[in-house]
Amino acid sequence: MRIPRNGRFALLSGALAAVLVAAGIAITGSAEAATTLGASAAQTGRYFGVATSAFRLSDTNYMTILNREFNSIVAENDMKWDATEPQQGRFNYTNGDRLVSHAQSRGMTVRGHTLLWHAQQPSWAQGLSGSALRNAAINHVTQVATHFRGKIHSWDVVNEAFADGGSGGRRDSNLQRTGNDWIEAAFRAARTADPGAKLCYNDYNTDGINAKSTGIYNMVRDFKSRGVPIDCVGLQSHLGTTLDSTYQQNIQRFADLGVDVQITELDVQQGGNQANIYASVTRACMAVARCTGITVWGLRDPESWRTGANPLLFDGNGNKKAAYTAVLNALNAGGPTTPGSPSPSASSQPPAPGGCSAGVTLNSWNGGYTATIRVTAGSGALNGWTVGVIIPSGGAVTSAWNAKNTGTTGQVTFRNVSYNGQVPAGGYTEFGFQGTGTGPTATPSCTA
Ligand code: 9MR
């Protein structure tokens, strides 16, 4: 059989590839390009996540893809109010805990979705109003955020509280009828319960500058000016066949308020533009330093909540779609690194194999702060790490999560706990602590 010239090349390079694979050497498009969504996003300090459910943990094809591609997960339904508090005061964390422990075993972060929402309330809450509902709602926030304390990267504290249409105001709901301050009360309760989690407001139809996103923008600006604890805004991004031309500008204006932005529920109607829209969304996030991660709302098309829209990155057989490649390329094209990822000077001198670096992000208020420390592995996997942080004089560490501290003032040492000592090469894990006074400004040291 005569093999055409380019066919011969393909055969030869295929054979070479087989040898390299057998030798355990990764083949990438270029020396730098990562080959999975999570690893590509991690190159700039971002995460790439997927919505999932505990009942899928036993689906082998599904879990192979999830474990390979993603470094973050969110519960599509398992942490909602109806799931976690089916009867008032009786909590069920079974499925949420299963997802968290899977994530921890794989070094993935977890988004928490969602503490309060007008939908998927248990029937007992739907029947409440006034102060009985307000008290039940705040108790729910406190209990659930306390249960998962230290294990959640970001909580959607409140979901979908703004109205569609041109009003820019709040949606009517039983929660809204308890008083306009229900959202800030929820954020304050969440901060107290889990000071290490980033606290997000999450909504849809906010994928550009419009009346609804401007209403949210004004709320976030007001919260920041009054010291209501809010750290991030989630743009769900359930998208059709076009993308608003102000998508990136909208991300940027939230970032300029001093909050992170996360793309939290991305899916895109299949059609001529699907891959392009996925790429544009990814590029927009990559272009804004405070856009810290993207989550897709499901793994394979048939499992999407949007029946028939085929809006995801994998088909029903788990094959990568064109949209997948478009996203991977956009991630690998790079962008500014997120705050808290190792500083450029640290990353220009990559730690030796087995080494690590650490970066700090602060949430400060008058007299106190929470610090999130990201521990990033160098070119070799970590099996345990120690981070040294200098606490400015006059202040002290009051609590820590996802790490054990020695000392509370001056030079404080933090060591990994049982579940986060192992970090894959190039991967990262995060821990945090709360302190009095002003937060640390010097780059923490990291040894492994
Ligand atoms: O994908 C979720 C679906 O399985 C549930 O039946 C539905 C219940 O309302 O919620 C879906 O997820 C929603 C998310 O929690 C909030 N934003 C919109 C999502 C799609 O409806």
Side-chain angles (χ1 to χ4, degrees):
M1 186 180 79
R2 187 175 174 283
I3 302 166
R5 180 174 286 274
N6 57 359
R8 264 180 276 170
F9 176 75
L11 273 187
L12 273 177
S13 56
L16 178 64
V19 170
L20 290 175
V21 167
I25 298 168
I27 306 163
T28 56
S30 73
E32 299 294 320
T35 55
T36 65
L37 301 169
S40 309
Q43 293 175 135
T44 56
R46 291 175 172 79
Y47 66 83
F48 204 97
V50 62
T52 189
S53 299
F55 75 85
R56 299 207 190 277
L57 292 170
S58 54
D59 179 333
T60 314
N61 172 277
Y62 179 100
M63 290 309 293
T64 300
I65 302 168
L66 185 145
N67 289 338
R68 185 187 69 216
E69 294 290 341
F70 297 91
N71 60 1
S72 167
I73 58 171
V74 62
E76 184 170 358
N77 291 297
D78 290 331
M79 292 191 191
K80 290 173 181 175
W81 197 351
D82 60 350
T84 51
E85 196 180 359
Q87 280 123 37
Q88 186 165 15
R90 301 183 65 172
F91 292 84
N92 182 347
Y93 299 116
T94 309
N95 287 332
D97 285 346
R98 289 176 65 203
L99 290 176
V100 168
S101 59
H102 181 77
Q104 289 183 336
S105 75
R106 313 281 314 188
M108 300 168 176
T109 57
V110 182
R111 294 197 82 259
H113 175 83
T114 171
L115 293 170
L116 292 180
W117 187 20
H118 65 272
Q120 277 186 284
Q121 294 182 0
S123 51
W124 63 264
Q126 292 174 38
L128 296 182
S129 62
S131 58
L133 175 60
R134 170 68 72 93
N135 292 340
I138 297 305
N139 182 55
H140 180 75
V141 171
T142 299
Q143 296 299 325
V144 176
T146 300
H147 174 81
F148 290 110
R149 177 185 161 107
K151 299 175 177 169
I152 300 293
H153 175 280
S154 303
W155 264 115
D156 290 333
V157 178
V158 169
N159 191 44
E160 301 177 6
F162 276 72
D164 290 311
S167 75
R170 300 282 181 87
R171 167 197 298 278
D172 178 49
S173 73
N174 59 348
L175 290 165
Q176 183 62 28
R177 275 175 251 130
T178 70
N180 205 50
D181 62 343
W182 72 278
I183 297 183
E184 59 196 81
F187 274 81
R188 290 187 203 279
R191 178 69 97 227
T192 302
D194 185 356
K198 288 184 183 288
L199 305 182
C200 307
Y201 175 81
N202 189 49
D203 216 324
Y204 68 94
N205 282 350
T206 51
D207 314 304
I209 294 181
N210 58 37
K212 188 172 177 180
S213 63
T214 299
I216 295 163
Y217 177 86
N218 289 336
M219 177 185 77
V220 173
R221 191 175 51 185
D222 171 53
F223 279 14
K224 293 298 274 186
S225 75
R226 291 190 293 116
V228 178
I230 184 165
D231 308 308
C232 37
V233 170
L235 306 178
Q236 293 186 8
S237 304
H238 294 295
L239 299 172
T241 53
T242 57
L243 184 66
D244 192 302
S245 62
T246 59
Y247 189 83
Q248 183 177 323
Q249 214 184 323
N250 189 45
I251 295 175
Q252 185 68 58
R253 71 170 174 159
F254 279 107
D256 291 344
L257 286 177
V259 288
D260 289 349
V261 177
Q262 303 178 9
I263 311 303
T264 50
E265 303 184 12
L266 180 60
D267 53 15
V268 182
Q269 170 79 43
Q270 181 147 297
N273 272 331
Q274 186 180 49
N276 287 339
I277 291 175
Y278 263 110
S280 300
V281 167
T282 307
R283 280 195 296 262
C285 181
M286 294 294 287
V288 179
R290 287 201 84 142
C291 184
T292 61
I294 299 175
T295 299
V296 286
W297 204 243
L299 191 73
R300 300 176 299 204
D301 277 337
E303 293 135 6
S304 168
W305 70 291
R306 295 170 71 177
T307 310
N310 295 321
L312 298 174
L313 299 177
F314 295 88
D315 69 18
N317 294 319
N319 297 315
K320 297 169 182 174
K321 295 165 57 180
Y324 170 94
T325 310
V327 169
L328 186 67
N329 290 342
L331 293 171
N332 277 330
T337 54
T338 59
S341 46
S343 66
S345 59
S347 53
S348 66
Q349 291 183 325
C356 55
S357 59
V360 59
T361 318
L362 294 175
N363 267 316
S364 300
W365 58 88
N366 198 5
Y369 63 89
T370 60
T372 302
I373 309 278
R374 180 174 291 187
V375 178
T376 304
S379 56
L382 306 182
N383 189 13
W385 43 262
T386 305
V387 169
V389 181
I390 296 165
I391 305 299
S393 66
V397 174
T398 51
S399 65
W401 46 93
N402 294 343
K404 275 243 171 297
N405 57 308
T406 307
T408 56
T409 57
Q411 168 86 34
V412 176
T413 301
F414 295 86
R415 286 198 177 77
N416 64 277
V417 287
S418 61
Y419 55 79
N420 64 2
Q422 297 190 326
V423 183
Y428 65 85
T429 187
E430 290 184 334
F431 71 92
F433 59 93
Q434 185 162 354
T436 54
T438 54
T441 47
T443 304
S445 65
C446 188
T447 50

